[in-house]
Amino acid sequence: MKALQFDRFGSPEVIVLRDVPKPEPGPGQIRIAVRACGLTPADWVVVDGLFADRMPPLPRGLGLEIGDPVFGPATFDGPTAGAAEFSLMAAWARIPEGVTVEQAAALPMAAETAWRALDDLGVQPGELLLVHGAGTTVGEAAVRLALHRGIRVIATAGPTRAAALGEIGAQVTGYGDGMAERVTALAGGRVDRALDTAPTGGRIDRADQASPAGGSLPTLIELTGDPDRVLTVSDFAAAAELGARITTEIRYDLMGEFARLAGEGVLAVSVARTYTLDQIQEAARLSQSRRPGGKLMLVL
């Protein structure tokens, strides 16, 4: 079968398309014929060597989330992963009617991260939540889930996703100078809690530059009045320095709930572009630009 692999750590240039044996499922796993595989920022840090000391020897596969008539997270601790003609899964759900394979394959990581972040942050129905970086796939999933839970949402996003976020019920403001003042005006005072889903190091005033003061977290702490009311899904170093919260314990026991919400139209992730396996370098460049405009998918 065809699969993307890497046999040394580094930039996405180390990823190659190869002919390899089909993976054999173990206890509690299924093997599926892959139709679509979502690309995530986590793919590039895995290729760069994240968890290298906890994984079997190289080579390894690329791609953490996949879709067929079922969708879910791909196993990624072997020589192949989700970006292959066949892949293994240990957690899955049926794709609901009306949801395409590409839309389903875009969901697992964004939905799981957003759900877990909202739970760990402890935001309650009726509270006002600020989602910073809501134009990301995790950010949009968090906005959708929060609104479904009866939580009021202010979202910060760039012009590409601002209108779509407003249409689903969020109050939206852009990045740039005066963002904190605009959020305060929309909130009528402090926000109850803040969720940072922006790429690591993203600044309040310039989203394309890194801030030595912890990215967006100092401003989010100022807006809530308490670092314990701020959670980041990416800027762990700044969170440790400033006392903000993080979430790291991945769980995929809610795949059935994600499928139900996707079927009802509550949960969705915007698919920006699709690529074939041999276009991985082009896809990687756009993904790493931090401005993909939505989910990037590999399709087979």
Side-chain angles (χ1 to χ4, degrees), residues 38 42 67 119 178 194 220 241-242 283:
D119 283 355
L220 301 186
E241 179 182 346
L242 299 169

Side-chain angles (χ1 to χ4, degrees), residues 24 52 72 90 92 98 123 145 169 183 190 196 237 243 255 259 271 299:
E24 294 298 327
W92 61 87
V123 60
L145 289 172
V183 169
R190 289 197 186 280
D196 171 35
M255 289 302 304
V271 176
V299 294

Side-chain angles (χ1 to χ4, degrees), residues 2 4 17 33-39 65-67 82-85 100-103 105-106 271 273-280 283 295-300:
K2 298 289 186 183
L4 292 176
L17 182 61
V34 178
R35 296 292 172 260
C37 174
L39 293 175
E65 51 188 5
I66 48 181
E85 292 179 316
T100 69
V101 169
E102 291 82 4
Q103 290 168 335
V271 176
R273 291 189 63 179
T274 60
Y275 297 88
T276 55
L277 291 183
D278 59 357
Q279 294 176 307
I280 182 58
K295 193 73 171 182
L296 303 182
M297 307 296 300
L298 298 173
V299 294
L300 293 90

Side-chain angles (χ1 to χ4, degrees), residues 14-126:
V14 303
I15 302 167
V16 293
L17 182 61
R18 289 175 172 156
D19 287 304
V20 298
K22 292 180 183 179
E24 294 298 327
Q29 295 180 329
I30 60 172
R31 182 173 66 194
I32 70 163
V34 178
R35 296 292 172 260
C37 174
L39 293 175
T40 76
D43 288 312
W44 316 127
V45 293
V46 168
V47 171
D48 197 38
L50 182 69
F51 305 135
D53 58 341
R54 307 182 214 172
M55 294 291 187
L58 296 169
R60 296 247 292 281
L62 180 78
L64 305 179
E65 51 188 5
I66 48 181
D68 194 28
V70 296
F71 74 105
T75 60
F76 63 96
D77 57 352
T80 62
E85 292 179 316
F86 293 87
S87 180
L88 304 181
M89 304 172 74
W92 61 87
R94 287 281 178 185
I95 297 177
E97 185 176 351
V99 177
T100 69
V101 169
E102 291 82 4
Q103 290 168 335
L107 284 175
M109 181 165 288
E112 188 279 333
T113 303
W115 186 291
R116 173 165 40 96
L118 293 175
D119 283 355
D120 290 355
L121 187 55
V123 60
Q124 299 297 314

Side-chain angles (χ1 to χ4, degrees), residues 143-293:
V143 170
R144 289 177 173 274
L145 289 172
L147 291 169
H148 182 65
R149 295 182 182 188
I151 297 162
R152 299 160 54 216
V153 177
I154 295 175
T156 69
T160 303
R161 298 300 302 159
L165 291 165
E167 288 173 2
I168 62 175
Q171 294 178 278
V172 186
T173 187
Y175 303 117
D177 293 341
M179 192 212 77
E181 291 76 14
R182 293 194 300 275
V183 169
T184 299
L186 289 172
R190 289 197 186 280
V191 297
D192 293 309
R193 300 178 196 276
L195 174 59
D196 171 35
T197 61
T200 304
R203 284 181 59 177
I204 290 292
D205 57 338
R206 286 283 304 279
D208 61 339
Q209 294 184 6
S211 165
S216 60
L217 294 188
T219 300
L220 301 186
I221 292 169
E222 178 185 347
L223 286 166
T224 61
D226 184 350
D228 195 51
R229 289 177 171 266
V230 177
L231 185 146
T232 180
V233 301
S234 58
D235 205 348
F236 298 154
E241 179 182 346
L242 299 169
R245 305 175 72 176
I246 63 171
T247 178
T248 58
E249 194 65 35
I250 297 174
R251 46 177 295 196
Y252 281 111
D253 57 319
L254 293 166
M255 289 302 304
E257 181 69 2
F258 298 158
R260 182 184 70 81
L261 293 173
E264 294 175 358
V266 172
L267 190 56
V269 173
S270 173
V271 176
R273 291 189 63 179
T274 60
Y275 297 88
T276 55
L277 291 183
D278 59 357
Q279 294 176 307
I280 182 58
Q281 301 301 334
E282 181 183 348
R285 285 192 292 272
L286 181 55
S287 176
Q288 291 187 308
S289 74
R290 297 182 178 177
R291 288 179 177 78

